[in-house]
Amino acid sequence: MAFLEIEQLGMCYGASRVLRNVSFSVDEGELIAILGPSGCGKTTLLNAVSGIAYPSEGKITLSGRDITALPPEKRRFGVVFQGYALFPNLTVEKNVAYGLASWDARKRADRVREMLELVGLADFCGRYPNQLSGGQQQRVALARALAPEPHILLLDEPFSALDASIRQQLAEELRRLQRQIGITTIMVTHDQQEAMSMADRIVIMKDGRIAQTGTPAEIYEAPADRFVASFIGRMNFLSFSFMEGREYGIRGEDIVVTEATELVLGQPHTWTAQIMDVCYLGAVVRMDLLLQDYSTRLWAEMPASAAAKFKKGGIVAVHLPQNKWRSWNGD
Amino acid sequence: MSRPSPRGVLLQILLLCLLFPALIYPLYMLLVRSVSDAEGNFVGAANFLEYLHSPGLFSSFVHSLTISTTVTALVVPAAFLLAYGLTHTRFSGRRICGLLVLLPLFVPSLLPAIGFVYLFGAQGIARFLLCGQELYGPLGIVLGNAVFTLPHATLLLLTSLRSVDSRLYMASACLGAGPWRKFTTVTLPNARYGIINASFVVFTLSITDFGVPKVLGGDYSVLSTEIFSQVIGQQNFTMGALISLVLMAPTVLTLTLDAWARRAHARLRVQNARPVSDVEQKSSPLFGVVCWGILLLPMASIAVVVFASFTAFWPYDMTLVPDNYFFEEAGYSLSSLGTSVAMALCVAVFGTALLYTGAYLVERGQIPAALKRLYRLLLLLPLSLPGLVLGLAYIFAFNSGPFSFLYDSFAILVINTIVHFSTVAHLTCVSALAKVDDNYEKAGRSMGVPAWKTALRVVVPQCRLPLSDVFFYLFINAMTTVSSMAFLCGGKYTVAAISIVNMYDSGYLGSAAAMNTLVLAVTAGAGVLHVLYKKIVSR
């Protein structure tokens, strides 16, 4: 039995169904990322889990107990909201102590200090939220959510309001903290890199449904459909159909680009192509290729050192090794 | 900052020049008169000392403070309950309730006052409810002021309660807070400035109002009626000028406090707040009862006037007849309504155009900062000027001297009313312009189009909705204002609101009710057009 079980969740706003048949489970201590483009229903799903929104169908169980109808006040789930929703009229200290109203004063003060030390903001207890930077606000929100010892931590786009430069650092910090406390966490994000780097497992959503659930590697290696294939990493879709009902694609880094010699071109799944553009990205180089049929365009990625000899406009051999093809059921 | 544009500077200077006879010169004359004797000789503080030593005069100051404090203490909690019910709960008829709250904004402040005469006056049908108390006096003024200030306070509190970020409620719920804790830690702190602001507005409105105490004051004099009786009754212009300054003191004080409170509250403003949504609204029949209960008195006081205007002789002969609408029988005519509509249209058209131009130059024009500061400062002044005071200042400025050609003209009514309501209209234009992207004029100029062309073709169309709000605001207020017209009407031109006062004074209560109903019909019609226009534009 999983720690948190979400079964057949469905939700309607008026006539539009924002969630349908959403089922997944979360194990204790796990970090799950719910990933999807904006408007896919991921925040609604998070609201249903936290109790803020009431699902029209389905069931949520926590350690075997049905909590579907439990209001948020009774759930003891810690939530970090998008934009943090810190109480602007309360100091950092009082924000963190907000969920500890029923604790006795001594324990409460200790817990607040412990939490602020945990996120490295012990010196900021007297400040107001508007006197903090975005990163500091996020850490206060985290401390506030963790203080009442919640069963589960829910994060709604925790990094979206932050500068790119500070994002990665805070993401690593959050991941370390989550492992250290061992708290079960569900994080909602639209950023696939964030999800890939942080999550134990990813739930990919599209149009209110789950498209695929799996570890980052599983999803990258074996995308369940065309949407997942293009949303996680980039995929070259191979238009020549080999088998009815299946679609094929290949990742850019799996394409082998070599000098066009007769020997190479004699091998299977090898074509000549013209280099339409070469884009230098630092560690890797991306190449836009036009196959000899003058209609198929591919992009390939390779280490900068391997690409040095290729120039824009040159003719090369492109090999698509069959063991690297990914396939999924076509629509 | 780039090079000032000569056209912009010229236009701004022109607007400032217009403000000279319309605002600065009258105020200067008011000040001069308050420190002069009847012959115009400078006497310094002598008038003020005389004022302090005449108990009859000073008592009106105490009365005004008492009345305004009472009204504030009654109206703000009621408005808070209303606003809370409308934003945070659901009950049957909530939408209609939200519309009816605004109804008193569409009528002159003396309409509900006349309603109270019908309800609780000598022949009032609900007189028994007062338990033998006299309507004419403090009770009547408090009731009348409460009714016409309620929508102002409710509107401010609605905005303030709606703007609370709904995520704060969610956060508070997820941290285990119950309804009461949510109210004290989220709702109240975020509405605090709204409450303070509403209190100041109610206090200022009721201390400066003239219509209600004129009708319901009886022998109980307040500052505004005292000014009027000094000037009109005793021809004591000096004392009128001096009491005007006294009346301005509390207004200036509350405005200063309000500015301070606004700054102190800035910390609570949340960027990209998500307003309270349906999710947070709990169904509550109790709040339904409370909200409808609060609305009962204003609705009754307005409805009774409309109904009574069609009766033959209230309350003895209740047959429905249109007789009250034949104003000629009472020695009056419908022309005052025509004057009002014409005046209100002129105020709305010219006021919107001038104030928008001014706001545009201040916000986006390339003109020296000193000019901008001066204009902003001058346009904040009218907010602290009670209508009666401004009217009196106009009398001093225009009955003789360089601008006397305006005396007793239609233009003076229009100018006075534009100036009287300019602050709110100006601020609305400013906030609308602040929402328009800064770079349009630059983008236009980079394509060789002069800034004023881009302003007309790109910026103005984007301000259509707020501009229609300003137009509507000016029109409604021009139709209903009593206080600023009290001194300026009486010669060639009389507006509807003043003819209502005159009808009431000479005992034609039915005619007064009928004229009130006509004003309400015009303003309500304008309201419907306004809503339709907004619907069409935003589609």
Side-chain angles (χ1 to χ4, degrees):
Chain A
M1 183 93 216
F3 183 56
L4 181 79
E5 194 88 50
I6 285 147
E7 292 165 71
Q8 301 290 318
L9 219 58
M11 198 132 139
C12 305
Y13 280 144
S16 66
R17 288 173 65 95
V18 282
L19 288 183
R20 34 184 124 193
N21 273 338
V22 173
S23 301
F24 65 96
S25 61
V26 187
D27 289 327
E28 193 147 18
E30 205 179 12
L31 195 158
I32 292 264
I34 300 173
L35 174 66
S38 61
C40 72
K42 52 193 194 302
T43 295
T44 310
L45 175 59
L46 199 76
N47 286 347
V49 174
S50 67
I52 289 166
Y54 187 73
S56 19
E57 50 203 56
K59 198 166 126 187
I60 304 171
T61 50
L62 178 73
S63 315
R65 195 163 68 100
D66 185 349
I67 59 162
T68 320
L70 210 60
E73 300 91 80
K74 304 268 166 61
R75 279 193 196 195
R76 264 182 62 199
F77 281 14
V79 187
V80 174
F81 290 89
Q82 191 170 9
Y84 318 128
L86 295 176
F87 302 118
N89 51 313
L90 301 180
T91 58
V92 166
E93 191 178 9
K94 293 211 169 113
N95 261 287
V96 177
Y98 193 88
L100 308 175
S102 57
W103 294 33
D104 77 53
R106 271 273 301 284
K107 269 181 70 188
R108 194 191 312 152
D110 288 346
R111 180 70 178 163
V112 170
R113 193 164 341 107
E114 186 192 345
M115 284 297 107
L116 286 175
E117 272 164 16
L118 187 72
V119 297
L121 288 175
D123 300 335
F124 291 78
C125 23
R127 300 253 192 123
Y128 284 94
N130 73 332
Q131 299 168 321
L132 301 177
S133 72
Q136 289 166 337
Q137 288 182 23
Q138 194 238 31
R139 282 187 274 180
V140 174
L142 188 64
R144 182 178 73 173
L146 289 173
E149 299 175 336
H151 301 298
I152 289 185
L153 179 65
L154 305 175
L155 308 166
D156 189 0
E157 301 274 5
F159 308 107
S160 65
L162 301 173
D163 290 342
S165 57
I166 194 174
R167 242 180 221 202
Q168 201 179 353
Q169 182 204 335
L170 277 172
E172 281 164 17
E173 220 172 275
L174 185 70
R175 180 60 173 152
R176 189 176 44 74
L177 243 157
Q178 187 265 337
R179 290 235 170 90
Q180 184 189 330
I181 316 170
I183 186 162
T184 312
T185 303
I186 301 177
M187 173 177 95
V188 156
T189 177
H190 68 274
D191 183 325
Q192 52 114 349
Q193 270 187 349
E194 222 167 86
M196 298 280 276
S197 64
M198 290 181 71
D200 295 310
R201 282 190 302 139
I202 299 177
V203 174
I204 297 188
M205 289 190 62
K206 192 202 176 201
D207 299 336
R209 300 170 197 270
I210 292 185
Q212 192 175 4
T213 308
T215 64
E218 281 166 6
I219 287 177
Y220 190 79
E221 296 300 333
D225 60 19
R226 194 184 172 96
F227 167 74
V228 177
S230 58
F231 193 64
I232 298 289
R234 269 178 74 175
M235 184 69 85
N236 290 295
F237 295 107
L238 302 178
S239 56
F240 26 84
S241 69
F242 294 85
M243 225 194 291
E244 281 302 307
R246 298 290 285 175
E247 283 185 356
Y248 292 84
I250 187 165
R251 299 271 183 208
E253 67 269 26
D254 294 332
I255 296 177
V256 183
V257 179
T258 50
E259 279 171 272
T261 62
E262 218 163 318
L263 183 69
V264 177
L265 287 170
Q267 289 175 351
H269 308 303
T270 307
W271 292 269
T272 55
Q274 188 173 12
I275 301 174
M276 304 306 287
D277 202 0
V278 178
C279 183
Y280 179 74
L281 298 172
V284 293
V285 164
R286 193 166 62 213
M287 225 175 253
D288 278 315
L289 302 162
L290 178 65
L291 289 200
Q292 69 209 49
D293 62 358
Y294 291 106
S295 69
T296 308
R297 291 198 84 135
L298 297 173
W299 60 272
E301 250 175 32
M302 65 205 72
S305 55
K309 55 189 174 236
F310 301 119
K311 293 278 173 301
K312 184 176 168 180
I315 302 293
V316 289
V318 171
H319 176 52
L320 311 178
Q322 196 170 10
N323 61 341
K324 301 282 190 183
W325 293 4
R326 326 282 158 125
S327 79
W328 52 86
N329 282 323
D331 294 325
Chain B
M1 166 103 196
S2 42
R3 191 160 48 85
S5 98
R7 246 194 296 250
V9 175
L10 204 69
L11 202 54
Q12 186 78 66
I13 289 175
L14 197 72
L15 284 173
L16 286 168
C17 287
L18 286 179
L19 277 174
F20 178 74
L23 180 66
I24 304 163
Y25 180 64
L27 281 185
Y28 167 75
M29 290 303 288
L30 183 76
L31 278 173
V32 168
R33 288 303 277 264
S34 69
V35 291
S36 314
D37 62 14
E39 276 74 49
N41 303 314
F42 180 77
V43 292
N47 293 328
F48 188 62
L49 291 172
E50 188 196 334
Y51 173 76
L52 287 179
H53 287 105
S54 26
L57 291 176
F58 191 67
S59 69
S60 66
F61 179 69
V62 179
H63 289 170
S64 272
L65 286 186
T66 318
I67 294 281
S68 304
T69 315
T70 316
V71 170
T72 309
L74 285 173
V75 164
V76 174
F80 187 83
L81 284 173
L82 261 176
Y84 188 84
L86 290 173
T87 49
H88 285 65
T89 70
R90 269 172 295 156
F91 54 84
S92 44
R94 192 182 59 159
R95 256 162 207 273
I96 304 171
C97 192
L99 285 175
L100 286 182
V101 169
L102 305 180
L103 196 58
L105 292 178
F106 290 75
V107 299
S109 68
L110 44 77
L111 186 143
I114 287 175
F116 286 124
V117 172
Y118 279 122
L119 289 172
F120 306 123
Q123 272 90 45
I125 47 164
R127 198 171 150 70
F128 61 93
L129 284 175
L130 291 188
C131 306
Q133 296 287 311
E134 179 58 48
L135 172 70
Y136 302 99
L139 180 65
I141 307 180
V142 167
L143 282 177
N145 276 335
V147 166
F148 101 89
T149 52
L150 184 68
H152 293 274
T154 311
L155 272 182
L156 290 169
L157 288 169
L158 275 176
T159 320
S160 150
L161 284 174
R162 268 202 200 110
S163 65
V164 179
D165 193 344
S166 62
R167 280 170 299 192
L168 293 178
Y169 287 106
M170 296 181 193
S172 145
C174 290
L175 291 164
W180 178 248
R181 189 135 189 264
K182 276 188 208 166
F183 180 76
T184 53
T185 55
V186 180
T187 312
L188 266 189
N190 284 282
R192 196 182 296 146
Y193 173 68
I195 296 171
I196 295 172
N197 189 224
S199 308
F200 289 153
V201 166
V202 170
F203 185 88
T204 313
L205 282 174
S206 60
I207 207 167
T208 56
D209 183 56
F210 173 67
V212 173
K214 182 85 178 70
V215 172
L216 294 176
D219 295 333
Y220 191 84
S221 74
V222 293
L223 285 172
S224 57
T225 48
E226 188 64 46
I227 296 173
F228 193 73
S229 74
Q230 287 292 334
V231 172
I232 301 295
Q234 306 174 24
Q235 297 288 313
N236 190 344
F237 289 92
T238 304
M239 200 42 80
L242 188 87
I243 304 175
S244 292
L245 295 186
V246 174
L247 181 56
M248 279 171 67
T251 322
V252 171
L253 184 70
T254 49
L255 281 174
T256 318
L257 288 174
D258 188 63
W260 169 80
R262 188 195 306 266
R263 269 198 300 279
H265 184 82
R267 167 160 52 83
L268 298 186
R269 218 165 295 140
V270 179
Q271 292 282 304
N272 313 318
R274 289 181 196 168
V276 176
S277 68
D278 290 343
V279 183
E280 275 77 43
Q281 295 171 344
K282 298 272 182 316
S283 171
S284 165
L286 175 71
F287 258 101
V289 174
V290 170
C291 289
W292 282 109
I294 293 172
L295 280 185
L296 197 63
L297 194 67
M299 288 312 108
S301 68
I302 293 173
V304 75
V305 172
V306 176
F307 177 73
S309 75
F310 292 105
T311 59
F313 189 51
W314 177 278
Y316 305 110
D317 182 359
M318 296 286 211
T319 26
L320 295 182
V321 287
D323 292 5
N324 288 323
Y325 287 84
F326 301 124
F327 298 103
E328 284 73 13
E329 289 172 20
Y332 292 93
S333 77
L334 206 58
S335 68
S336 66
L337 187 71
T339 312
S340 268
V341 173
M343 194 267 280
L345 278 175
C346 287
V347 167
V349 171
F350 294 117
T352 310
L354 288 171
L355 292 167
Y356 182 81
T357 310
Y360 178 88
L361 290 170
V362 164
E363 283 302 298
R364 306 170 76 97
Q366 291 176 352
I367 54 177
L371 274 182
K372 292 187 179 186
R373 257 201 305 275
L374 181 65
Y375 185 78
R376 281 203 190 105
L377 196 71
L378 285 176
L379 274 189
L380 277 183
L381 260 180
L383 197 61
S384 59
L385 286 176
L388 206 63
V389 175
L390 192 64
L392 185 59
Y394 268 45
I395 294 290
F396 293 148
F398 298 116
N399 68 352
S400 61
F403 301 108
S404 58
F405 63 92
L406 282 167
Y407 186 71
D408 204 16
S409 66
F410 182 73
I412 201 172
L413 303 183
V414 175
I415 296 168
N416 174 282
T417 311
I418 293 177
V419 171
H420 185 196
F421 297 108
S422 58
T423 307
V424 173
H426 169 73
L427 292 177
T428 311
C429 291
V430 165
S431 75
L433 283 163
K435 288 190 190 112
V436 179
D437 193 320
D438 286 343
N439 290 320
Y440 287 129
E441 285 86 343
K442 282 182 207 145
R445 285 171 71 176
S446 73
M447 291 179 271
V449 180
W452 63 269
K453 242 182 203 168
T454 312
L456 282 180
R457 283 170 48 186
V458 181
V459 182
V460 174
Q462 292 194 51
C463 296
R464 266 185 304 181
L465 287 180
L467 274 176
S468 81
D469 287 341
V470 170
F471 186 91
F472 180 64
Y473 168 85
L474 289 174
F475 183 82
I476 293 295
N477 279 295
M479 279 303 293
T480 57
T481 182
V482 181
S483 60
S484 63
M485 291 293 114
F487 286 127
L488 297 176
C489 288
K492 265 182 276 173
Y493 300 95
T494 299
V495 294
I498 295 303
S499 74
I500 294 170
V501 176
N502 295 338
M503 291 170 188
Y504 175 81
D505 274 348
S506 42
Y508 292 104
L509 197 56
S511 309
M515 188 57 88
N516 256 322
T517 308
L518 289 177
V519 172
L520 175 59
V522 171
T523 51
V528 171
L529 286 180
H530 178 56
V531 170
L532 279 181
Y533 175 78
K534 287 183 94 156
K535 274 234 168 85
I536 292 167
V537 166
S538 51
R539 199 179 312 137

